[in-house]
Amino acid sequence: MKPHLEPRDRIIVALDVPTSDEALRIVDELKDLVSFYKVGLELLMSGGMGDLLRELVQKHSVFVDLKLPSDIPETVSRVVNIAADIGVKFMTLSNSATRETIAAAVSGRVGRSDPKLLYVSLLSSLDRRDFAKQYGRPESDFEPFLEERTTIAKESGAEGFIVSGKEIALLRRRYPKGHALIVSPGIRPAGAPKDDHKRTCTPAEAIQLGADYIVVGRPIRNAPDKREAVQRIIDEIAEGETGNGSFTGHSVIASSYGSGTPMGAASR
């Protein structure tokens, strides 16, 4: 049986920053409060991701968000093999990933259980209108599309999905707890700005809808007091686990969290 996750262990902090030094400063600031971190393309392109990952995995769980596409199977397999050697916990597959890509990713683990492969159902910055434009299908096909694509991913070996908003409930109904991991980005605490996410929900809502983990970036990264921001999110998750309809544990205002644009940097 899967062990119960404490509210603090459900938070994955997105280290979407330009340097490994900046990432490690955030990790140090959140010491003993957060156990899971996500790194992605920005840190990859700035260099030094390998060293950062090896340092992070010594004390934390690590999620590598590269959204592996339908590349040459051998390439995909090798990338996953490197991640497995390092000790990465989660890794993402693009929604363009084919059955062959996913099978290659699974083979790259060489019998190991990690990294768990998470299929990106649809970016949280897109909604059903964007879906209709991108795929040339009616908006009413949005939910069936997600079910079709995630079914293929699961049958091909993916352990779970990246899914935002109310679609969390759609996939949780299809895959009960224990049958698939659901990790939800686009999380915005009560009172925080939505930034560029179109399909969002609060930490409490995500947990109530069925998410196992939530990914939070800017509301923590840009907060004047990052530890306080994390603690408020922990409290919201705990509220969601009680089954209450909305978070009422604190009086939360937007200024308590970082805005979408950090000072001196472009919005991320």
Side-chain angles (χ1 to χ4, degrees), residues 233-263:
I233 293 169
I234 290 172
D235 291 344
E236 288 197 41
I237 292 173
E239 186 89 2
E241 290 182 332
T242 67
N244 292 338
S246 61
F247 177 67
T248 58
H250 292 288
S251 176
V252 182
I253 58 175
S255 60
S256 299
Y257 295 94
S259 67
T261 306
M263 294 177 65

Side-chain angles (χ1 to χ4, degrees), residues 124-250:
S124 58
S125 59
L126 304 177
D127 59 17
R128 61 179 57 241
R129 183 176 299 178
D130 297 312
F131 156 77
K133 290 179 180 178
Q134 182 173 337
Y135 291 95
R137 295 171 62 168
E139 292 183 21
S140 59
D141 278 357
F142 183 51
E143 286 83 3
F145 170 84
L146 292 182
E147 292 184 311
E148 292 164 11
R149 297 297 289 269
T150 53
T151 295
I152 291 172
K154 190 69 168 62
E155 290 174 349
S156 302
E159 280 85 13
F161 314 108
I162 303 295
V163 57
S164 305
K166 65 187 177 101
E167 285 72 43
I168 296 171
L170 174 74
L171 294 185
R172 182 52 77 203
R173 285 194 298 271
R174 191 172 185 86
Y175 300 99
K177 288 275 188 178
H179 292 267
L181 284 166
I182 291 183
V183 178
S184 182
I187 300 299
R188 288 298 179 263
K194 292 185 177 181
D195 301 306
D196 53 357
H197 295 286
K198 293 182 180 179
R199 289 160 42 243
T200 68
C201 55
T202 68
E205 289 168 343
I207 297 305
Q208 289 172 354
L209 291 170
D212 294 297
Y213 298 89
I214 61 172
V215 181
V216 189
R218 281 167 280 195
I220 294 173
R221 192 174 69 244
N222 301 338
D225 186 332
K226 295 178 178 57
R227 291 186 69 86
E228 180 186 16
V230 169
Q231 187 58 56
R232 289 179 180 241
I233 293 169
I234 290 172
D235 291 344
E236 288 197 41
I237 292 173
E239 186 89 2
E241 290 182 332
T242 67
N244 292 338
S246 61
F247 177 67
T248 58
H250 292 288

Side-chain angles (χ1 to χ4, degrees), residues 39-41 44 49 63-69 79 91-93:
V39 298
L41 292 172
L44 175 66
M49 181 187 270
F63 169 14
V64 173
D65 183 19
L66 297 183
K67 300 179 181 68
L68 295 176
V79 169
M91 199 164 193
T92 47
L93 301 164

